[in-house]
Amino acid sequence: MKRDLISLEDWTRFEITALFELAAKLKGNRTHLGGHLSGKSIGLVFQKPSNRTRVSFEVGVFHLGGNCLYLGPEEINLGVRESAADVAKTLSRYLDAIVARTFTHQDIVDLARYADIPVINGLSDKHHPCQALTDIFSIREKFGKTEGIIFAYVGDGNNNVCHSLLLGCAKMGIPMRVATPKSYEPDKEILNMAKSFAQETVGQIFLTHSPKEAVAGADVIYADVWVSMGQEKEAKKRLKDFKGFQINGALVAGAKKDFIFMHCLPAHRGQEVTSEVIDGEHSIVFDQAENRLHVQKAVMALLIEESRALKK
Ligand code: CP
Ligand code: NVA
């Protein structure tokens, strides 16, 4: 049966750990699994712009010996020109996997439901699993472990990155604190799911409206944009609502001395983070960006030919 990466809900701790081990191997040796996707084609069905996701998938497919097709909104126009079901059924006749970036999460669910080939979520309004897997891989790389690393997310709790981090941190035993303005708390269903996963690990989830409380003694401080793609009309209100949630020198002074600063990028200096922090010595944002490549190569290798990748 084919396997997808839609959200971290259905990925076990064991599978995530195996994925990280393969990603580390791929990072150490760029030519590892060099011919793995030979003769295979991967399509990127993107409805939104992208730098990291598009480039890291395209380069990753190239490293693994496959062929990559970028299908932007002008080509497919998911749900407008053609239904997600028809797109999935058609592309399954040509391709070996789909990476999709959509507005509505349901579009990715539908693509996966109707496709005979793996579907990888490259960002939807609800989840960004490739980002969260990479972030947790990066934490493991910096600290040598994930369990017990205190993670503070400050900003929009009700967005794709925060939701995927909640699920990923809970599964990997990372206590996560989320500081948001009122009415920007995470989606209740995803939060409850993450809380139930956290009960099986040393992960815990703590919500607050105080950034100071969230970062006190934290090992990791994480920021995302205040206005996600598709929310541009709310920009004025959001910039006002998020005032006080900026990650700056005064705020990070409350974290552990050797804390790391993380951001999925793109970043807006002067809004969610100051230049002093994102360009400072604690920031690992470009290591994160690089790790997208290694982690996603592992995702593709595992999903497209699971058994072959694990044996090598
Ligand atoms: N972090 C991330 O997904 O970046 P892009 O939107 O540039 O792909
Ligand atoms: N929350 C952001 C993440 C960008 C990678 C967005 O959806 O725009």
Side-chain angles (χ1 to χ4, degrees):
M1 212 183 92
K2 65 118 176 180
R3 183 87 198 275
D4 306 299
L5 173 57
I6 305 298
S7 93
L8 296 182
E9 177 186 347
D10 47 9
W11 278 60
T12 66
R13 181 187 176 89
F14 177 79
E15 288 169 324
I16 296 173
T17 305
L19 178 89
F20 287 171
E21 273 154 23
L22 179 57
K25 216 164 165 185
L26 288 159
K27 183 167 183 175
N29 176 8
R30 205 186 108 155
T31 61
H32 182 57
L33 299 181
H36 191 80
L37 296 185
S38 165
K40 303 204 181 292
S41 294
I42 316 303
L44 305 189
V45 177
F46 275 32
Q47 292 186 293
K48 292 173 176 169
S50 170
N51 171 3
R52 282 144 291 273
T53 309
R54 175 178 175 178
V55 178
S56 55
F57 267 109
E58 289 203 18
V59 172
V61 171
F62 172 73
H63 285 182
L64 297 174
N67 172 48
C68 193
L69 291 91
Y70 177 75
L71 303 162
E74 305 75 25
E75 281 79 37
I76 302 274
N77 206 0
L78 203 65
V80 179
R81 186 167 185 269
E82 215 169 356
S83 71
D86 285 358
V87 169
K89 288 178 192 172
T90 305
L91 292 181
S92 295
R93 302 292 178 107
Y94 307 131
L95 300 173
D96 298 283
I98 296 170
V99 180
R101 169 166 285 205
T102 64
F103 286 95
T104 319
H105 186 66
Q106 189 59 40
D107 278 342
I108 296 195
V109 173
D110 290 343
L111 281 174
R113 179 169 169 210
Y114 292 103
D116 301 328
I117 53 176
V119 172
I120 299 168
N121 181 352
L123 182 146
S124 67
D125 58 347
K126 283 267 187 292
H127 297 276
H128 197 359
C130 293
Q131 182 68 53
L133 283 172
T134 302
D135 296 337
I136 298 168
F137 173 81
S138 307
I139 290 171
R140 189 179 185 253
E141 190 176 51
K142 295 290 166 194
F143 293 98
K145 61 173 189 173
T146 55
E147 293 85 356
I149 297 297
I150 300 173
F151 184 101
Y153 176 99
V154 178
D156 186 1
N158 192 9
N159 80 8
N160 39 25
V161 170
C162 184
H163 289 156
S164 289
L165 285 169
L166 277 165
L167 296 174
C169 286
K171 292 216 168 180
M172 299 310 286
I174 299 176
M176 181 163 170
R177 305 168 181 173
V178 182
T180 72
K182 289 207 172 81
S183 81
Y184 291 94
E185 295 88 359
D187 176 274
K188 282 223 161 61
E189 205 181 313
I190 296 170
L191 180 67
N192 288 336
M193 201 190 292
K195 280 185 176 164
S196 75
F197 294 140
Q199 278 174 358
E200 293 160 30
T201 67
V202 295
Q204 287 161 12
I205 295 163
F206 172 72
L207 300 192
T208 173
H209 297 302
S210 159
K212 204 172 159 195
E213 190 177 22
V215 307
D219 296 292
V220 181
I221 303 178
Y222 197 107
D224 186 8
V225 293
W226 290 341
V227 184
S228 285
M229 290 179 276
Q231 299 173 332
E232 292 76 9
K233 282 197 183 127
E234 300 167 30
K236 210 171 149 199
K237 175 171 172 20
R238 283 177 166 265
L239 296 194
K240 210 168 112 219
D241 293 347
F242 283 96
K243 233 174 144 232
F245 285 77
Q246 182 186 70
I247 297 176
N248 53 34
L251 185 66
V252 303
K256 287 223 178 91
K257 273 209 168 58
D258 57 351
F259 82 95
I260 57 172
F261 172 75
M262 301 180 77
H263 193 308
C264 55
L265 304 177
H268 298 95
R269 287 167 175 77
Q271 290 185 18
E272 74 273 6
V273 62
T274 57
S275 308
E276 176 196 12
V277 172
I278 194 168
D279 301 319
E281 55 176 346
H282 295 273
S283 175
I284 65 150
V285 298
F286 297 110
D287 295 331
Q288 273 175 272
E290 179 193 328
N291 285 338
R292 293 288 302 274
L293 172 67
H294 311 302
V295 170
Q296 289 161 191
K297 279 171 74 178
V299 168
M300 288 189 285
L302 289 173
L303 292 186
I304 297 169
E305 274 200 58
E306 203 153 336
S307 51
R308 208 145 66 85
L310 284 172
K311 274 185 213 138
K312 284 196 185 176

